[in-house]
Amino acid sequence: MPGEARTVWPPRERAPGRPPRVIIIGAGIGGLSTGCYAQMSGAETRIFERHVLPGGCCTAWSRQGYVFDYCIEWLTGTGPGNDANRVWRELGALDGKTIANFEMFNTVVDEHGRSVTFYNDPGRLERHLLEISPADARPIRAFCRDLRRFTDTNLYPFLTPPPLQTPREKLATLRAVLPDFLLFWRTAATRMERFAGRFQDPLLRRAFPFIFFQDHEVFPLLPYLFNMASAHHRNAGFPQGGSLGLARSVEERYTSLGGRIDYRARVTRILVEDDRAVGVELRGGERHYADHVVSACDGHTTIHGLLEGRYGSPRVDALFQEMMNRPELVYPGVVSAFVGLDGEFAATERHSTTYLLSDEDAATLPGVLQKSLVVQLRSHYSDGFAPPGKSVVHCTYFSDYAYWKQLRLTDRKAYWARKQEVADFVRAFLERHHPGITAAIEVVDVASPATIERYTGVRGGSILGWKSFTEADDLITGLINKDRMRLPGLRGLSLAGQWFGGGSLIRAAASGRFVTQYVCRELGLDFRAWESGGTTPWHPEKLGVLPQLERRRVR
């Protein structure tokens, strides 16, 4: 807390009747969630965060009056009547907010100007696809038939980890899964790339993997169908305030429950005595002690930095020694170019478009991995991202973290030159598709994967961590269900956040709920949770004072 001396938590014996102390490392969504549920369950908690903002990768920054919102493209659980929504309501994340819902997930445009729009309504999508390619009626109808079936499902298992589920809860899950088991199994076993190869039309064959804006490569059909069905039910919308707005709301919920966050408080070591975590040491040597420690920061930093590599498990060792170095198992970094411009787009403009780049364009865009550029009209999402009468455009593409990191370390001048090339490309590309827009552009802010690593602390600038539907995802499941989010041989420490609970925001939030239930068992507390019930309308001022991403800027 700037401007005041930090109160030190000294060593102590927990007296009968006194609440146990829990230290949480990191104020990302996983750490904030852990703090909220631990406070509700009767613990005294404290979060140490290295940054000046909550949220981790769920963040934003500003320049020249524009808010550049980084993380959320859609949020699972924005509609009522499911477990994901219940988690967000318990965390206060959606309190007083409007939700922007879209009739389409994305539009894909090839280098020749042909386009396909992925509507969330199965009937409308089917008619649209058949107009583009009647010859592909068979795979089109198969995809839309499965999408219709997914619109009838409502499976969001985010409340209780399986080892702690009662027989009644397990039976309820089984009853929900059994009717559609073959559907889930078949769509989970069919890679999108293989399915897309069935199309005769070259646009559809190339476009289907880009439904989620960029090609996630290893994804099967299941997540595409699941999320499109969720969006059709208005359960995958964009919450007012965006990424940092979500984090600020959960922060407000946490502090209202009596929790405390210390910002600019960088943990450098987890203190261990007799194979038990007893506290943390901050940069500068200050030490704080607690009955339990939860690490919800970057996974590699936890294992190889804060614990100095002294503790692990077969699953954790496989993740952070073997799989961390396999690019096919970790989401790549993202290059973001935010554009602030004087003027507004028509309400009829599509909110999100993926452009498939020509070989010439791809050769010009530094470090591009998939020959594609996503252009999103962020001012269509939420109020407060741009001053009145102005707009924010967010342009992104997957890129190689190592490329940018090496440049920044060895040749800072070349690094900034590449960022300038990104800005120049984006200006020219937007001008090509929106003639006259160049004169309206007031600012371009470029963030490389190396920038995001430095700003958020997440290794490789990987916004989602491990890729889902891979062997890494299987290890995460084992870490939650068998290791109970612990490291065998080390008592008093639990693990939460995207690297230990899964990479989407709802999975990060659920990891805090899961880990708190395990910790309550150890500390003798009854796990408790209730919805916040907040109704005060959200407003942009709640974002607070935002830092700039970097002092230097591209031109």
Side-chain angles (χ1 to χ4, degrees), residues 40 85-87 89-92 95 253 529-534:
M40 283 188 266
N85 182 258
R86 176 174 164 182
V87 169
R89 293 293 177 189
E90 290 170 348
L91 297 178
D95 285 359
R253 169 68 162 157
W530 60 89
E531 295 188 8
S532 66

Side-chain angles (χ1 to χ4, degrees), residues 9 12 14 17-24 33-47 254-260 290-294 515-528 530:
W9 274 7
R12 64 162 195 180
R14 181 183 168 194
R18 292 192 64 182
R21 284 179 171 174
V22 177
I23 286 175
I24 301 160
S33 171
T34 302
C36 287
Y37 287 116
Q39 286 291 141
M40 283 188 266
S41 300
E44 181 183 4
T45 71
R46 189 167 182 178
I47 299 176
Y254 172 64
T255 56
S256 74
L257 290 165
R260 168 173 174 159
D291 300 286
H292 200 93
V293 176
V294 177
V515 83
T516 303
Q517 291 174 72
Y518 286 134
V519 171
C520 283
R521 290 290 183 98
E522 177 181 320
L523 298 179
L525 299 174
D526 292 326
F527 176 79
R528 292 182 293 169
W530 60 89

